[in-house]
Every structure is written in structure tokens, then in C-alpha cells.
């Protein structure tokens, strides 16, 4: 139990004396209505403030009762500035005899990782290259303009339709990677500028909500591949993932779908998506549009207070309304959506689905990220095609690092992993795609065996 004077908490009033707490006491405060966490040995009560957290209340709640030091450093580009919001929430410190890490984590590994991060900061690896991102945005806009000009001057002949679909697929996929950069605050020094441009790119070019993306994606980074904490592995009974969930479903005789065939209908899910996108000749309602795109998002429109605007996204289709029959325009849209959704899903899932997917194990930051991610071999094409998500390990360890610097920190990360025997997995792009299907098949077989025999 803590010792010392009266605790302050969220009142903002100065405390006469901070209390000291043990990990045993802190870990009790991990409830929806009672949340404490630790940052650099200081204990904070974030129960009421969690709802005002800019990154969403869930991501901060996932660290209730735990040491959140590395997560705090990873997500904030200016931790010193953020400290002013923490001061009113301070209620005490870890007792002098308590370790800095909870649950018997390897303290030396944790300290070595923090030293690695400091080394990366000293190497200016968290400083973005403006020319890189300017050229990247420029090549996306150039493709959008080219698509508009093609429709205006060549109409929608069959050849033009196919070329147009390929151009739009490429521009939209690349816009998706670019919004990811701004969403992670990895371009500008000020968070506000990143947020402004993020809303433009994801809203104007992609037709999605920045608030929705932040709410989901930060949870994924905080607790990757952790059931009930990472929304990306909440498949709403469409798929069963990992080694434990299929067995659990099988024992309970849950059969929402024939999961032993999920590696086959994985392909069909993306074909179905191309027909779910509204194909009217006017701009679709944002809530309807976002309900279906992408399929993996499973967006609840009521959770998105931000208006979704996407004039550039549909501008080419508005222009194409003047040309060609209705069937050709619909085919153009569905082809584009089919190609872009496949591009998005295969690239974003190749680093995670084949990795460990399980319940919370309370690992340190490095170990938890390494267990859930893998890299794809580097090449100019792989870098461009995946938006540098082929460096998924480095991206997950350092979410705010500009992606053009991942290759520079990679040797340091590999060296640290080798020192502590932490697996650093890297594979060719083709094998990564094959592993998605293999992983789904393995999980499906586990489900079938448990369903029939356990």
C-alpha cells in the first residue's frame, strides 16, 4: 500500500507529499472506472482524463496498471510539452524498493532499448526530409491529375477505363501510405501541422476520417496482435486467428463460418468488397461509404464525429459521368476498388497475420512489438509498393520516425535483438503473401480439429 501524504490526482491542486506505491497496488487499478499507469516511475491517475485523451481513451486504457514509459515516448513527438497535461494527474511514485518495470520484465533489455532510442535521436533519425514527402505527395497528385485528363480527353473506352483504374489504384494506395505518415506525426515537428495535413490527405484524397483512423490505429500500435486490445485482429467472427482463438471457438462449437476454408474465402472477401461500394452517380453518403470501405475497417459511423469529405476521391468519377454507358462507369469503379483493396489488405496483413496473435502477455515494448511484426526484404520496389511498411519492425518500435530513416536504424535494432535472443524475422515479399494464406489455413485446421474432437 502507498505511503505518504494525501494524494492529489486530477484536481490539479499541489500535493504536500507524494505517496509511494508498489506494483501490486498499481496493478489493481486497471478497470474501466479506475485507471492508473506509470511513466518514468511516476504514478498517474488517468481515470477521468482518458476520455479527453487526443489519441482516444482506449489506447491509454490499454496500459492501465502497467508501465507506459516506452509507449509514451513512442507516440509523442514532444514528450516535454505533453508533460504539462500529466502534472495534474500525478498521484505518487514507485516505492524506492520497486523495480522500474512491472511483472518481472528484463530491466536491462528495457534500458538498452531506451539507449538505442536515444542513439537514434542523436543521429537525427526522427527528423523528416521535406523533399522526400513533397515529392511523394507530388507524384500522387500527378496521378490524380493524369486520371482526370484522360477522362476529359479520351472518354471511357475500354482501354482507357482499364488504364484509368490502374492509375487510380496506384494513386489511392500511395495516398494511403502518405496519410499513414502524417497520422503518425512523422513529417512535421509540430503535431498540429501533421494533424491538419493528415485530415486533408485521408479526407480529401482517401475519403476517410482522421479521427476514426487515429482511434483504431494507435490501439493497434500500442498492443499489436493482442485480442480485445488490437482492433485489427477483431475479425467479427469472419476469421479465427493465431493458435489459441481457433481452439477456443472449436471447443465452444462456434461455427459462424466454415473456418477450415477461411484461407479460401479470404480471396472472396475482397471480391465481395468491390460490389459493396455504392455505385450511384452522385457522391455517396459518407456514413454509407465508410461502412463498407475498407471491409476490414468495420467502422461504426456513430463513432466518427468528424465530417468525411472526399471531393478529389470522386472527382474523376463525376467527370466520367459525361462519358460512356452506365455499365462501363460501374466496371471502372469496381475494378479500381477491387485492385486497391487487395493492395491494401495484402500489404497491411503480411507483417502481422503470420505472427503471434494471442491474449495479453504484458511483455516489454521491444518484445511485444517483435512478437507481432516481421519485415520484408528491402528493395526500391518493395519500399515504394508497401510505403516502407516492409520495415514494419522499425516502424512499430519507432512510430513517429520518418519512414525514409528506417533503413538507418535497422542495424541497431537487429544488433539489440541478437544480444537478447529476440527473433528478428525478415522474408521476401512473395513469401510474406504466401504466409498469410498458410497462417489462415493453419488456424482453420486448428479450429476444425477442436470443433470435431474436443
Amino acid at each position: 500500500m502507498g505511503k505518504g501524504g494525501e494524494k492529489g490526482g486530477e484536481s490539479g491542486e499541489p500535493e504536500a507529499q507524494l505517496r509511494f506505491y508498489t506494483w501490486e497496488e498499481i496493478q489493481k487499478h486497471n478497470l474501466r472506472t479506475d485507471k492508473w499507469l506509470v511513466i518514468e516511475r511516476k504514478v498517474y491517475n488517468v481515470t477521468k482524463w482518458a476520455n479527453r485523451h487526443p489519441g482516444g481513451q482506449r489506447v491509454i486504457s490499454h496500459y492501465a496498471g502497467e508501465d507506459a514509459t516506452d509507449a509514451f515516448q513512442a507516440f509523442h513527438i514532444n514528450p516535454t510539452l505533453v508533460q504539462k497535461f500529466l502534472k495534474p494527474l500525478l498521484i505518487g511514485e514507485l516505492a524506492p524498493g520497486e523495480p522500474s518495470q512491472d511483472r518481472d520484465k528484463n530491466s536491462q533489455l528495457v534500458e538498452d532499448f531506451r539507449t538505442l532510442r536515444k542513439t537514434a535521436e542523436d543521429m537525427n533519425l526522427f527528423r523528416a526530409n521535406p523533399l522526400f514527402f513533397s515529392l511523394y505527395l507530388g507524384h500522387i497528385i500527378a496521378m490524380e491529375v493524369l486520371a482526370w485528363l484522360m477522362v476529359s480527353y479520351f472518354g471511357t473506352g475500354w482501354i482507357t477505363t482499364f488504364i484509368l483504374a490502374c492509375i487510380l489504384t496506384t494513386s489511392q494506395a500511395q495516398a494511403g501510405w502518405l496519410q499513414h505518415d502524417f497520422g503518425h506525426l512523422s513529417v512535421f515537428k509540430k503535431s498540429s501541422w501533421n494533424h491538419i495535413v493528415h485530415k486533408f490527405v485521408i479526407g480529401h484524397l482517401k475519403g476517410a476520417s482522421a479521427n476514426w483512423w487515429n482511434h483504431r490505429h494507435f490501439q493497434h500500435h500500442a498492443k499489436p496482435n493482442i485480442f480485445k486490445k488490437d482492433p485489427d485482429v477483431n475479425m467479427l467472427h469472419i476469421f479465427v486467428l493465431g493458435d489459441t482463438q481457433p481452439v477456443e471457438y472449436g471447443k465452444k462449437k462456434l461455427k459462424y463460418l466454415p473456418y477450415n476454408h477461411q484461407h479460401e474465402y479470404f480471396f472472396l472477401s475482397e471480391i465481395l468488397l468491390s460490389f459493396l461500394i455504392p455505385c450511384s452517380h452522385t457522391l455517396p453518403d459518407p456514413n454509407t461509404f465508410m461502412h463498407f470501405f475498407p471491409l476490414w475497417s468495420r467502422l461504426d459511423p456513430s463513432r466518427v464525429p468528424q465530417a468525411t469529405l472526399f471531393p478529389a476521391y470522386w472527382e474523376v468519377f463525376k467527370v466520367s459521368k459525361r462519358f460512356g454507358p452506365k455499365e462501363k462507369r460501374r466496371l471502372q469503379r469496381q475494378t479500381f476498388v477491387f485492385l486497391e483493396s487487395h493492395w491494401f489488405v495484402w500489404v497491411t496483413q503480411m507483417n502481422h497475420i503470420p505472427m503471434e496473435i494471442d491474449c495479453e502477455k504484458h511483455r516489454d515494448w521491444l518484445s511485444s512489438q517483435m512478437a507481432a511484426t516481421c519485415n520484408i526484404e528491402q528493395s526500391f520496389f518493395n519500399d515504394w509498393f508497401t510505403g516502407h511498411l516492409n520495415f514494419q519492425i522499425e516502424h512499430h518500435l519507432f512510430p513517429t520516425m520518418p519512414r525514409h530513416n528506417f533503413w538507418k536504424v535497422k542495424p541497431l535494432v537487429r544488433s539489440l535483438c541478437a544480444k537478447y535472443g529476440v527473433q528478428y524475422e525478415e522474408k521476401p515479399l512473395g513469401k510474406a503473401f504466401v504466409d498469410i494464406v498458410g497462417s489462415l489455413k493453419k488456424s482453420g485446421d486448428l479450429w476444425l480439429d477442436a470443433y470435431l474432437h474436443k
Side-chain angles (χ1 to χ4, degrees):
M1 188 66 184
K3 302 176 181 179
E6 294 297 322
K7 61 182 180 181
E10 303 187 40
S11 65
E13 298 178 0
E15 302 174 15
Q17 182 180 355
L18 290 177
R19 300 186 65 177
F20 293 114
Y21 296 96
T22 64
W23 278 115
E24 182 180 4
E25 171 69 14
I26 294 168
Q27 289 167 7
K28 296 177 182 178
H29 300 270
N30 64 346
L31 307 175
R32 181 186 294 265
T33 56
D34 184 15
K35 306 168 188 176
W36 293 7
L37 53 77
V38 177
I39 299 175
E40 296 180 343
R41 295 190 63 86
K42 296 185 182 299
V43 183
Y44 299 92
N45 183 347
V46 298
T47 305
K48 296 180 181 178
W49 189 81
N51 291 328
R52 305 197 301 272
H53 183 233
Q57 62 91 12
R58 288 189 180 180
V59 66
I60 195 171
S61 300
H62 291 337
Y63 277 90
E66 299 182 23
D67 175 41
T69 302
D70 292 309
F72 177 79
Q73 292 289 338
F75 292 126
H76 301 97
I77 59 177
N78 191 344
T80 303
L81 178 64
V82 181
Q83 287 287 349
K84 71 177 184 180
F85 296 100
L86 290 176
K87 287 182 179 179
L89 313 179
L90 181 65
I91 60 173
E93 298 178 354
L94 285 173
E98 290 291 300
S100 297
Q101 285 75 44
D102 58 299
R103 296 179 172 86
D104 299 321
K105 294 174 182 174
N106 188 331
S107 59
Q108 190 57 53
L109 184 156
V110 173
E111 290 305 317
D112 283 356
F113 173 75
R114 292 174 184 174
T115 300
L116 189 158
R117 180 182 178 87
K118 181 63 169 59
T119 300
E121 292 172 351
D122 293 340
M123 294 171 63
N124 292 322
L125 298 187
F126 288 89
R127 181 176 299 175
N129 182 344
L131 180 61
F132 173 88
F133 289 105
S134 297
L135 292 176
Y136 205 90
L137 176 60
H139 103 288
I140 293 171
I141 294 177
M143 285 186 282
E144 297 279 348
V145 172
L146 177 61
W148 189 90
L149 291 175
M150 284 188 64
V151 173
S152 298
Y153 286 97
F154 299 106
T156 55
W158 289 110
I159 296 179
T160 304
T161 296
F162 176 75
I163 296 175
L164 184 64
C166 292
I167 293 174
L168 285 175
T169 295
T170 304
S171 67
Q172 284 295 298
Q174 295 300 321
W177 310 145
L178 185 62
Q179 69 81 20
H180 182 259
D181 296 316
F182 290 106
H184 276 293
L185 315 180
S186 64
V187 181
F188 297 109
K189 293 182 179 179
K190 290 186 176 181
S191 298
S192 58
W193 280 103
N194 283 293
H195 289 311
I196 291 171
V197 181
H198 182 224
K199 290 179 179 179
F200 167 77
V201 176
I202 194 173
H204 197 77
L205 298 182
K206 291 294 298 174
S209 162
N211 290 348
W212 160 77
W213 185 89
N214 290 338
H215 172 78
R216 291 182 56 87
H217 197 64
F218 290 158
Q219 290 184 72
H220 162 68
H221 270 268
K223 296 289 184 178
N225 284 13
I226 302 297
F227 290 124
K228 298 183 179 180
K229 293 188 176 181
D230 179 1
D232 285 4
V233 295
N234 174 21
M235 295 298 176
L236 297 180
H237 308 304
I238 298 175
F239 299 98
V240 288
L241 303 176
D243 295 338
T244 59
Q245 187 187 55
V247 176
E248 178 185 344
Y249 271 49
K251 288 181 177 179
K252 294 180 179 179
K253 309 305 177 185
L254 297 178
K255 187 181 179 181
Y256 297 96
L257 288 169
Y259 297 122
N260 52 311
H261 294 290
Q262 64 179 4
H263 61 291
E264 298 167 349
Y265 66 72
F266 174 75
F267 300 91
L268 298 177
S269 64
E270 294 308 311
I271 296 175
L272 176 63
L273 172 62
S274 63
F275 293 95
L276 289 177
I277 299 298
C279 292
S280 63
H281 299 300
T282 58
L283 290 179
D285 175 72
N287 285 348
T288 303
F289 179 81
M290 286 302 297
H291 180 70
F292 291 117
F293 183 76
L295 177 64
W296 296 73
S297 301
R298 302 171 300 280
L299 173 68
D300 177 1
S302 66
R303 293 180 178 272
V304 188
Q306 172 185 317
T308 303
L309 302 175
F310 38 94
Y313 184 84
W314 287 105
E315 186 61 31
V316 173
F317 296 133
K318 288 175 64 181
V319 174
S320 70
K321 183 177 179 180
R322 295 179 292 167
F323 305 97
K326 174 181 177 181
E327 292 74 16
K328 191 175 294 184
R329 297 196 303 269
R330 177 173 296 177
L331 176 64
Q332 174 185 314
R333 296 183 188 185
Q334 291 177 343
T335 301
F336 151 63
V337 171
F338 172 78
L339 294 174
E340 201 253 338
S341 60
H342 267 286
W343 190 335
F344 168 79
V345 168
W346 286 89
V347 169
T348 56
Q349 301 306 311
M350 67 183 180
N351 306 98
H352 296 299
I353 282 186
M355 305 302 290
E356 179 183 307
I357 305 175
D358 210 336
C359 298
E360 177 67 84
K361 293 188 176 180
H362 301 288
R363 293 185 173 112
D364 62 85
W365 180 259
L366 174 71
S367 299
S368 65
Q369 302 298 333
M370 297 301 298
T373 58
C374 66
N375 275 8
I376 309 304
E377 293 177 350
Q378 183 185 16
S379 70
F380 177 81
F381 174 78
N382 286 353
D383 291 354
W384 174 84
F385 183 74
T386 68
H388 288 85
L389 292 181
N390 51 325
F391 291 94
Q392 191 73 236
I393 290 174
E394 288 71 28
H395 170 57
H396 264 255
L397 292 176
F398 311 105
T400 61
M401 180 179 289
R403 57 161 130 150
H404 54 72
N405 288 332
F406 289 155
W407 68 275
K408 298 178 182 179
V409 77
K410 177 180 176 180
L412 302 179
V413 175
R414 295 198 76 151
S415 177
L416 180 62
C417 289
K419 178 179 178 180
Y420 288 97
V422 177
Q423 183 180 12
Y424 186 106
E425 186 170 348
E426 186 174 58
K427 62 184 74 170
L429 181 64
K431 185 178 186 304
F433 290 158
V434 171
D435 285 350
I436 295 176
V437 180
S439 178
L440 289 173
K441 185 178 187 307
K442 177 185 175 183
S443 298
D445 290 342
L446 288 172
W447 169 81
L448 182 62
D449 179 69
Y451 186 83
L452 295 176
H453 305 117
K454 297 182 180 180

